[in-house]
Amino acid sequence: MKRTIRKVIQNQGEIARRIGLNKIELKTDYHLIKQQPKKIEQLRNRTYAVKVKQETLEREKEENKIEEEKNETAIEIINPYPAKMIYNEKVDETTKKQLVLLGTGWGGYSLLKAIDLKKYDVQVVSKRSHFLFTPLLPSASSGTLEFRSITEPIRGARGKKENFHFHQSEAIHIDTNEKMVTCRSVFADEKDQTFGLKYDVLINAIGCDVNTFGIPGVKENAFFVKELEDARKIRYRVLECFEKASNPALSLEKKSELLHFIFVGAGPTGIETAAELHDFVTQDLATLYPDLYLYVEFTVITAENKVLSMFDAKLQEYTRKKFYRDHIKIQTNMRVAGVPKKTMVELSDGSKIPCGMVVWCGGNQSRELLQSPTATASFPKNNIDEILVNNNLEVVNQKDVYAIGDCSCVVDAPLVSTAQVASQQGSYLAKQLNRNDTESIVPFKYNHAGLMAYIGNWHAIIEMDSWKFSGWFSFVLWRSAYLTKLVSIKNKVLVPFDWAKAIVFGRDSVND
């Protein structure tokens, strides 16, 4: 009996030491056991209960450890690019609000020009260091305008202001809980350099990318009309094709292939680019390469059964007839199946067309940042990854986070992705952010100014409500409208100078 009692007490004492029981309680239990042997079973039960409690505590501790490891793993998945430093950490609450603007397109630049720098410390993040006047980009690809005439440096947008900062980087992750944007340098030798930007107000104006629809070879072999570098590549490629075709050793068939230029997409970008390059060839290169002019061919391919679908049917028909007179071929109801190399297009009917250049103007798609399932996981989006915003352009279910331009979609009133929509949204949002707290918020209202498109040889089409114009007079209005919309005095001087220079001396035809 005594051995049994001692063994029980020893086991209980060992357990007690682990969980910190009072020694007095053990002594009391020993005294009771000596006096009442019948309570041995109760002591055993108590010992077992203490042991179970200890095992439960250890199991809970292990489960908590596993849960913490899962949380750490989840954080790594959500933000695979942790910022190495926070650039604009606020020192105290008396400093100005931190406004982070992503993008320098039409929406971002309009907001940047109008935002009140007395109320905000503005951080601008963009892959390009300039604003690009995109409606005149086709003119730059043909040499009608110089590249510098349609750009404006972002760093000069607000002069030498201490609370305006520009970062030539790209946003790779947005954490709305921590209110921080993780950014990465766009330069190849600095890809591992990341930094964070804290924000009180975040503006998403990152625009969109060219939509390739996943067609093989488009991204690798086709030319786009999106950035300034694209226009430069197109101009140099046209001149390169003419120089190659002038080689007397080439066959007539090869010359025809090199001088066949294909444009995929019959929207404003595709039509205007084809028209501008046709002017370049017929008005300038035809005099420089007179023996090659008869081999030149232009073809516009579209999956739709019409061109310029957003214009009135009469203006569409006017454009088709104009292109027919200018010997620009239009293939409707035809899909591109692939671009296997830079000098060939494969159609959906199985035919292959050799050519000198493929210019892809097939539409837009969301940026990689918005397509990522983790980088912007807290943003509600539609089926094409556009950020959903309310009538105040504030992101749905988010506070002080806004989206404007091509990357956004107003839930109650979706708008077409155009420069004038983005520009109006940028100006509106700047006005709302500049307002006093006592002023009420006014919902955004889009004012449609009309549609314009250049169709070549000093002709254009214009549609404004019920008014429709075409011909040479529309061309004058087209140039006048864009001249007034240019964003700086420098642009408004250089652009008409380039127009006059092209008329008097011809377009630039140097391939360097």
Side-chain angles (χ1 to χ4, degrees):
M1 175 68 70
K2 290 182 178 180
R3 289 182 179 178
T4 303
I5 294 172
R6 287 194 186 98
K7 187 174 182 180
V8 171
I9 295 301
Q10 288 173 359
N11 291 338
Q12 186 182 16
E14 180 65 24
I15 296 171
R17 280 193 297 273
R18 294 181 182 179
I19 63 176
L21 291 179
N22 197 323
K23 294 182 178 179
I24 298 176
E25 293 182 9
L26 293 178
K27 292 179 180 179
T28 303
D29 288 340
Y30 180 74
H31 178 71
L32 291 173
I33 291 170
K34 287 178 65 178
Q35 293 182 350
Q36 302 180 25
K38 293 182 179 180
K39 292 189 177 182
I40 292 176
E41 188 65 27
Q42 295 179 3
L43 184 58
R44 286 177 176 173
N45 293 338
R46 182 178 177 182
T47 303
Y48 177 76
V50 171
K51 185 177 180 181
V52 170
K53 182 177 181 180
Q54 182 188 18
E55 292 178 348
T56 302
L57 291 173
E58 292 179 351
R59 185 168 58 253
E60 290 178 352
K61 184 178 180 180
E62 186 67 25
E63 290 176 353
N64 291 335
K65 183 178 179 180
I66 294 173
E67 188 66 26
E68 289 176 358
E69 291 177 352
K70 287 182 178 180
N71 292 336
E72 291 177 0
T73 304
I75 292 173
E76 291 177 358
I77 293 174
I78 291 174
N79 187 5
Y81 308 104
K84 295 184 177 180
M85 61 164 291
I86 298 178
Y87 176 78
N88 61 336
E89 189 78 58
K90 294 181 68 174
V91 179
D92 54 60
E93 295 301 324
T94 61
T95 57
K96 297 177 182 179
K97 285 186 177 181
Q98 297 287 337
L99 187 150
V100 175
L101 171 62
L102 306 180
T104 54
W106 281 92
Y109 192 78
S110 298
L111 182 139
L112 180 60
K113 294 289 286 185
I115 197 69
D116 187 359
L117 295 182
K118 295 179 180 179
K119 298 183 65 174
Y120 298 97
D121 185 6
V122 179
Q123 307 283 339
V124 181
V125 179
S126 178
K127 297 175 70 173
R128 66 186 186 195
S129 61
H130 59 270
F131 166 76
L132 177 62
F133 197 87
T134 50
L136 294 179
L137 192 58
S139 297
S141 67
S142 67
T144 303
L145 298 177
E146 296 298 331
F147 301 123
R148 65 189 295 261
S149 300
I150 58 172
T151 60
E152 189 67 19
I154 294 300
R155 293 187 181 276
R158 295 304 300 267
K160 298 179 181 179
K161 301 291 184 179
E162 293 183 357
N163 56 330
F164 165 60
H165 312 274
F166 173 73
H167 310 276
Q168 192 167 1
S169 305
E170 60 179 334
I172 55 178
H173 185 266
I174 299 175
D175 188 340
T176 54
N177 294 325
E178 295 294 331
K179 287 195 168 186
M180 187 175 75
V181 180
T182 304
C183 305
R184 178 176 59 193
S185 175
V186 298
F187 301 104
D189 58 343
E190 297 180 353
K191 282 294 186 180
D192 60 336
Q193 301 297 321
T194 61
F195 60 93
L197 291 175
K198 288 282 190 177
Y199 68 83
D200 298 307
V201 179
L202 174 64
I203 314 295
N204 292 279
I206 58 177
C208 57
D209 277 328
V210 177
N211 193 350
T212 63
F213 300 97
I215 298 175
V218 172
K219 187 175 182 180
E220 297 80 8
N221 299 319
F223 291 80
F224 302 129
V225 191
K226 187 69 177 177
E227 302 292 344
L228 198 65
E229 185 61 27
D230 297 331
R232 184 179 286 108
K233 290 179 180 178
I234 290 174
R235 184 196 297 189
Y236 291 167
R237 178 57 184 173
V238 171
L239 294 171
E240 182 183 26
C241 287
F242 272 85
E243 287 298 335
K244 286 184 175 182
S246 64
N247 188 341
L250 290 182
S251 63
L252 298 181
E253 181 182 3
K254 187 62 178 178
K255 292 178 186 289
S256 298
E257 292 176 3
L258 280 172
L259 299 180
H260 185 187
F261 305 109
I262 295 178
F263 304 84
V264 181
T269 302
I271 293 297
E272 289 189 332
T273 304
E276 288 280 3
L277 291 178
H278 184 267
D279 287 353
F280 182 33
V281 171
T282 57
Q283 298 173 9
D284 296 277
L285 298 185
T287 59
L288 298 176
Y289 304 89
D291 53 331
L292 298 177
Y293 177 67
L294 293 177
Y295 299 106
V296 176
E297 184 178 358
F298 285 79
T299 302
V300 176
I301 300 175
T302 176
E304 297 183 281
N305 60 356
K306 53 188 174 182
V307 299
L308 298 174
S309 57
M310 69 288 298
F311 282 82
D312 180 77
K314 293 183 178 180
L315 295 179
Q316 294 177 25
E317 185 61 25
Y318 181 86
T319 301
R320 289 176 67 99
K321 291 181 178 179
K322 177 68 171 60
F323 271 36
Y324 178 79
R325 292 194 302 270
D326 291 340
H327 306 289
I328 301 176
K329 186 179 179 181
I330 298 177
Q331 288 189 4
T332 57
N333 299 313
M334 185 63 68
R335 296 183 180 275
V336 173
V339 185
K341 53 185 180 179
K342 293 183 182 296
T343 56
M344 181 173 290
V345 170
E346 184 177 353
L347 302 180
S348 55
D349 60 0
S351 61
K352 296 182 179 180
I353 306 176
C355 59
M357 177 179 64
V358 181
V359 180
W360 187 269
C361 310
N364 300 322
Q365 67 176 3
S366 296
R367 298 277 189 187
E368 183 180 351
L369 177 68
L370 299 184
Q371 294 182 24
S372 170
T374 57
T376 53
S378 58
F379 291 171
K381 306 167 192 171
N382 58 14
N383 59 342
I384 55 175
D385 291 320
E386 292 175 336
I387 302 174
L388 299 178
V389 298
N390 57 27
N391 291 331
N392 303 327
L393 306 183
E394 190 171 31
V395 177
V396 175
N397 300 327
Q398 294 290 333
K399 181 68 174 177
D400 295 326
V401 179
Y402 302 86
I404 57 177
D406 297 346
C407 69
S408 68
C409 176
V410 181
V411 176
D412 298 331
L415 298 169
V416 181
S417 297
T418 61
Q420 59 177 311
V421 171
S423 179
Q424 290 184 31
Q425 287 180 337
S427 299
Y428 158 84
L429 187 55
K431 184 178 180 180
Q432 296 304 310
L433 294 174
N434 292 341
R435 78 186 194 285
N436 297 323
D437 296 335
T438 57
E439 296 177 331
S440 59
I441 299 177
V442 179
F444 172 72
K445 183 179 179 181
Y446 170 61
N447 296 314
H448 185 60
L451 298 171
M452 300 186 297
Y454 178 66
I455 59 176
N457 197 24
W458 316 102
H459 284 65
I461 57 174
I462 297 177
E463 180 177 346
M464 295 186 298
D465 297 328
S466 59
W467 297 89
K468 301 172 183 61
F469 306 96
S470 60
W472 185 83
F473 176 70
S474 298
F475 168 74
V476 175
L477 293 178
W478 175 80
R479 281 198 167 180
S480 301
Y482 281 146
L483 183 60
T484 60
K485 291 294 183 179
L486 291 169
V487 297
S488 70
I489 297 177
K490 182 200 77 173
N491 295 145
K492 292 179 179 180
V493 171
L494 291 179
V495 166
F497 178 76
D498 288 345
W499 284 336
K501 184 176 63 175
I503 295 173
V504 177
F505 301 107
R507 298 170 178 85
D508 181 19
S509 57
V510 178
N511 187 5
D512 53 2

